[in-house]
Structures are given as structure tokens and as C-alpha cells.
Amino acid sequence: MPLFKKPIEQEFFNLRLRAGRPMTELEFYAKELTEWETSPERREMIDGDRYYTGYHDILKRQRTAIGPDGKLIVIENLPNNRIVDNQYAKHVDQKANYLLGQPISFSCENDDYAAEVKKVLGMRFMRTLKSAGVECLNAGISWLYPYYNKNGELAFRVFPGYEIMPFWADAAHTELDSALRLYPVEVYYGTEKKIVKKVDLFTLEGVTTYIFENGVLTPDTEKQAYVKVKDSKGNEQPLNWERFPLIPIKYNPKEVPLIRRGRSLQDAINLLQSDFVNNMEEDVRNTVLVLKNYDGQDLGEFRRNLTTYGAIKVRTVEGTDGGVDSLEISVNSENYKTVLELLKKALIENLRSYDAKDDRLSGMPNQMNIQSMYCDIDLDANAMETELQASFEEILWFVNTYLANTGKGSYESEDITVIFNRDILINESEAIDNCSKSVGIISDETIVAMHPWVDDPAAELERLEKQKEETDPYRAAFEQAQALRNPEGGDPVNEE
């Protein structure tokens, strides 16, 4: 049986045994952070963000050739295009917009509770959630941090995955014991600017800031509470959440970043396009010169001269014939085009995205063709939505606590459903026709909700009801008769 209930305490105990001396909790965190900072896992998270912003490996490429000693040497006078065709960022945006591009809806029997939740989780929160979605696609996981802003309102902040080192309490990564946030800060020492690594240690008791240097954590601030709430006298009271104030937003259960699925294909696309432009610019080398009876020194010089100058020095058997011949080399653009199309299709399939220029969208595509095109991204979005629904249980707990603390009501026992409105292409004519044919078979509420032109079904039903009242002549006559009734009731007053 384990000595401790929580894995972090057990690991801390094991480290102390291996060290052969007492290890403090701060030393444990410093050791773990040192290993995590340069770990392949964190480097992959950073690479995902780097590729999304356009800093690909092709930008560090150099043109090389085999030198005299058989080793590669850098050739400076050759065209060296570094083209970034950022298909990866395109597909990240597609996936984020597909699931999080439209405002989320809340379904609840308690209309007051639904209205309060919609106020807290409004458009500003949707912008934050979409940013968290992009970060979790790049790193496999991102984090939402709840806090009170300067107006005393509940707000959320996004932490990218490469900034947070979590210490999970279970193997399924559902509960946190503690977490470290590593981030750079620019500070001035006199007139000199320096980058300092700071670390925030999050626990249920509060947050403490340290300076991280040479593998050592040095306290920078004392432990502080997560929120400050004003009491009836206007004094600020520091309070801590009952739950851990870091909410994981996962791309998938394994926290696998999207960059792992398509990095090699994205690099191949960049390399192919760069090589094609290089070959187009090397028009003087489309002709390789063959020099007769003008021998070179060694094989290394031969390879280097061929790459650099585009010339070959040869000798005939008799050594009498001299001259210059040429070998014409043509660049077939169709080969590049074919391979490039194959790479882009492979990238779409591996990233489980879709091609907006798909042949299935030509002409007048029906809804089955459109759904077929969206099949892969829809299945991937289902897995991501499952993780988001679990995250919303934590988000709504903080919302309920905020509503209770601000005197807006206690809604802990209320059930509410979060609905993600996916941004998918549809055949509007076909959808409207299906809605028309469903009148009298299903409820008007369901028909209005499925209509492609309706964003808010409840508001649209209210407008329909108002329109019916305004256009109903019998209702207008009834209201006029009610207005002519005497104050004590009874029959309408005779106008004569």
C-alpha cells in the first residue's frame, strides 16, 4: 500500500530517500521544474505555438554541398528561399472556429439562472475560451484561471500549456494537487534590461511567487490569496477558492498536441516550395557545362564545383579533344504540383480537418456531401467537446460561487446544459425546405431552432408571437372592446 494518498506526496518522499538527506518541499519543486523546463514534452508545446505563429524550421535552412573532405559545407552564393506555407495554422483555426466560433448556448429550466450565467459567460468569455481552444490544440492542453477583475466581476485568463507544470493527484489527470507556472518577466537593473524567470506556485492555500535561477527557487513574494472581496464596510477580505483555481482545457484525453500529427508534412510542404523557387532562380544552372581535358583535383572539389558553379571538368582518353558541351536540365513544375497536392491532402487527413475547396462542394452540393466533407473534423470535435463539457463543470462551479458571493442567488442545485453551436456549412435551401415540410409534425420551437437564419430561437419565437398579435384582426377588435368597457366592468359602452 502507498504511504501517502496523493502521488505528489509519495514522489516527494521517494526523492528524499534517493537523495540520502532531507529534501525540502521547495527543493523538490525546483528539481522537478528544472527537468520539465527542457523536457521534450514542453519543447513540443513550444514548437506547436511557434509553428502556429509562422516560425517554422525552414527559416533556419542553409544550402550545403559535399566539401573536399567529404563533409557538408555551407554554400553562400546559391539561392536559399525559406518559404513558409503555414497550412498548420490554417487547420488550427479551422478546428477552433468549427467548435468555438459561434457563441455557446445554455439550456436551463430556471430562466433567471440561465440569464445570470449568460451575463458572466458572455462574449468576453467566448473570446477567452476560443483563445484557450487554440492554445490547447497547439500544446495538447491549456488552462483557464478564474479571478476577480478590478470591477469585482468574475473573469478568466488563459495560460498556455508550456507555462504550467501540473502535479496531478490521479493517473487520469482529473484533479490537481498543485501547479507551477513558469514565465519570463522583463526587469531593469539600473539602465540595463534583463529577463528574469518567475514561478508561481499554486496550492489550495494560495499562490506564492519565486525567482527561478540556476535551478534554485528564491522567494519573491509571500503567499497571497486568490481573490479579494469587499465586506459591508468596504474593507477588502482575502479569500481562497474551495477548489483548485486552474481549469484544464484538453484537446484530447492523452493531451497530444496537434503539431505531433502533422509537423513532418508541414516541413515537407515548406521544403518542396522552397526548392521549387530555388530551382527557378537557378536558371543559369539549368545548363551544366562539361569541360573536356580540364581535369579537377579530387572528388570533393568536383561535387562542390558542380553545386556552386554548375560545371564539370573531364578528360578524354587521348587528351587531345577539348571543348565545352552542355547538359540541359529542365524543371518539371507538374511534378512539384502533384507532390504538393498529395502532401496537403495527407496533412488534412492527419490533422483531421477539411478542405474548403473540396470537389464535393462544386455545383449544388446536397447536405450529405457537405457532411461527408466534415466527417473527420466533426469526429475530432466530438472528442474535444467531451473534454470541454468536463471543464465546464468546473467553470460553472466558479460561476455559481461568484453568484452566491455577490448576492445574486444560490444555484448549486440547478441543472444547466452547455450547447456548442458548431460552425458548419449547410445547404440553406434544402434546410429551409425541410423546415417547411416539418410544420405540424414537430413543434414550432424545434423548427425555429433548426432554421439556418435563426441565431436565438427563444427571441425568434417571441418575435413570431408579437407578429401574430399585430396581424390578428380579431385580437385587435377584442382589445378595442376591452378599452371601451366601463371602469366597473360589464358590457362595452355604447358609442351613441
Side-chain angles (χ1 to χ4, degrees):
M1 294 181 63
L3 297 177
F4 301 96
K5 294 182 180 179
K6 297 180 179 180
I8 181 176
E9 296 178 354
Q10 179 67 62
E11 181 62 22
F12 175 51
F13 178 75
N14 294 338
L15 283 174
R16 294 185 64 178
L17 289 180
R18 290 196 296 268
R21 63 173 180 82
M23 177 181 284
T24 65
E25 185 178 17
L26 200 60
E27 289 176 335
F28 163 75
Y29 282 123
K31 181 176 177 61
E32 292 292 304
L33 186 62
T34 302
E35 295 179 359
W36 178 76
E37 183 183 13
T38 57
S39 65
E41 176 187 3
R42 183 170 183 266
R43 285 202 302 267
E44 189 175 44
M45 293 179 177
I46 296 175
D47 287 344
D49 182 76
R50 179 168 60 88
Y51 267 63
Y52 180 75
T53 54
Y55 295 97
H56 295 199
D57 289 346
I58 190 69
L59 298 176
K60 298 180 290 185
R61 183 196 183 192
Q62 294 179 322
R63 296 292 300 272
T64 59
I66 299 177
D69 55 356
K71 297 181 179 180
L72 290 176
I73 59 174
V74 178
I75 306 298
E76 300 290 348
N77 66 329
L78 293 180
N80 186 19
N81 289 276
R82 302 179 178 95
I83 297 176
V84 175
D85 184 6
N86 204 342
Q87 296 292 312
Y88 169 78
K90 169 187 173 183
H91 294 299
V92 169
D93 289 336
Q94 277 185 350
K95 298 170 86 65
N97 285 309
Y98 178 75
L99 186 60
L100 303 172
Q102 296 293 333
I104 55 178
S105 303
F106 301 97
S107 177
C108 181
E109 294 183 357
N110 190 331
D111 294 336
D112 294 336
Y113 178 42
E116 292 294 342
V117 171
K118 195 171 183 179
K119 288 180 182 178
V120 178
L121 305 181
M123 296 309 297
R124 286 189 301 175
F125 173 78
M126 276 305 307
R127 181 179 59 186
T128 303
L129 182 63
K130 183 179 176 182
S131 177
V134 172
E135 293 292 346
C136 82
L137 287 167
N138 290 329
I141 187 172
S142 60
W143 303 84
L144 285 179
Y145 174 67
Y147 69 100
Y148 283 4
N149 60 22
K150 61 182 180 181
N151 297 324
E153 301 171 341
L154 180 66
F156 293 87
R157 181 181 176 185
V158 179
F159 291 147
Y162 57 82
E163 284 191 0
I164 300 295
M165 180 185 181
F167 293 89
W168 298 100
D170 59 339
H173 291 190
T174 59
E175 297 182 13
L176 284 171
D177 273 332
S178 60
L180 297 173
R181 178 182 174 231
L182 175 64
Y183 57 99
V185 177
E186 291 184 353
V187 297
Y188 279 91
Y189 289 92
T191 58
E192 183 180 355
K193 184 166 65 174
K194 184 180 179 182
I195 302 296
V196 175
K197 296 179 183 177
K198 288 199 173 185
V199 174
D200 291 340
L201 172 59
F202 296 93
T203 63
L204 285 175
E205 290 76 26
V207 57
T208 310
T209 303
Y210 299 89
I211 295 177
F212 185 57
E213 188 175 9
N214 298 325
V216 178
L217 289 171
T218 305
D220 186 45
T221 62
E222 297 181 355
K223 186 174 293 185
Q224 299 178 358
Y226 289 110
V227 295
K228 293 182 179 180
V229 180
K230 291 184 178 181
D231 56 18
S232 58
K233 297 181 180 180
N235 300 322
E236 288 188 342
Q237 298 294 330
L239 297 174
N240 285 323
W241 301 102
E242 293 181 3
R243 294 193 183 184
F244 208 90
L246 279 178
I247 305 170
I249 307 296
K250 297 182 181 181
Y251 170 40
N252 50 57
K254 295 292 185 181
E255 302 167 19
V256 177
L258 190 64
I259 189 66
R260 188 182 300 177
R261 297 178 179 174
R263 180 172 182 169
S264 59
L265 291 169
Q266 176 64 71
D267 288 340
I269 291 173
N270 293 339
L271 183 63
L272 184 69
Q273 298 202 44
S274 300
D275 283 346
F276 177 73
V277 178
N278 287 342
N279 290 333
M280 290 293 99
E281 291 183 357
E282 290 178 10
D283 53 350
V284 295
R285 290 178 178 79
N286 288 341
T287 300
V288 177
L289 301 178
V290 181
L291 309 182
K292 297 181 180 180
N293 290 328
Y294 193 80
D295 203 4
Q297 295 180 358
D298 52 34
L299 185 60
E301 183 183 5
F302 161 76
R303 294 294 300 271
R304 182 163 57 90
N305 289 341
L306 177 61
T307 304
T308 306
Y309 305 108
I312 302 175
K313 298 183 290 185
V314 298
R315 179 186 294 274
T316 60
V317 177
E318 295 82 2
T320 57
D321 295 334
V324 179
D325 292 337
S326 64
L327 301 176
E328 295 292 337
I329 300 177
S330 60
V331 179
N332 191 343
S333 60
E334 290 299 321
N335 292 340
Y336 284 92
K337 183 179 179 181
T338 301
V339 176
L340 184 62
E341 289 179 355
L342 292 174
L343 289 173
K344 288 187 175 182
K345 287 183 178 179
L347 185 64
I348 292 171
E349 292 181 358
N350 280 269
L351 298 187
R352 300 172 189 175
S353 185
Y354 68 92
D355 183 7
K357 301 177 182 178
D358 196 289
D359 294 338
R360 286 169 287 188
L361 292 179
S362 60
M364 290 292 293
N366 57 35
Q367 199 62 31
M368 293 298 296
N369 289 338
I370 297 175
Q371 290 177 352
S372 175
M373 184 189 71
Y374 278 93
C375 180
D376 288 343
I377 193 173
D378 198 55
L379 291 175
D380 207 33
N382 289 338
M384 187 174 176
E385 183 178 341
T386 301
E387 299 297 328
L388 282 171
Q389 291 287 2
S391 300
F392 260 94
E393 291 185 0
E394 297 295 318
I395 294 172
L396 289 171
W397 182 89
F398 286 98
V399 172
N400 293 339
T401 303
Y402 163 73
L403 294 176
N405 291 340
T406 54
K408 297 181 179 180
S410 177
Y411 300 103
E412 292 183 1
S413 60
E414 295 288 346
D415 291 330
I416 188 169
T417 302
V418 181
I419 303 172
F420 291 90
N421 300 305
R422 302 187 181 184
D423 192 8
I424 183 173
L425 292 175
I426 63 171
N427 187 318
E428 290 189 351
S429 300
E430 184 178 344
I432 294 172
D433 184 59
N434 291 334
C435 289
S436 300
K437 293 178 181 178
S438 301
V439 175
I441 302 175
I442 58 178
S443 66
D444 291 344
E445 184 178 355
T446 302
I447 295 173
V448 171
M450 297 303 297
H451 199 285
W453 294 351
V454 175
D455 295 327
D456 190 340
E460 188 63 29
L461 286 172
E462 291 181 3
R463 287 192 287 267
L464 281 173
E465 186 65 25
K466 184 178 179 180
Q467 181 178 327
K468 289 179 181 179
E469 294 176 359
E470 293 176 351
T471 58
D472 189 353
Y474 297 102
R475 179 178 293 273
F478 176 77
E479 291 178 352
Q480 184 180 5
Q482 288 292 96
L484 294 174
R485 295 179 69 91
N486 57 41
E488 298 180 357
D491 296 332
V493 177
N494 192 328
E495 295 181 358
E496 296 180 356

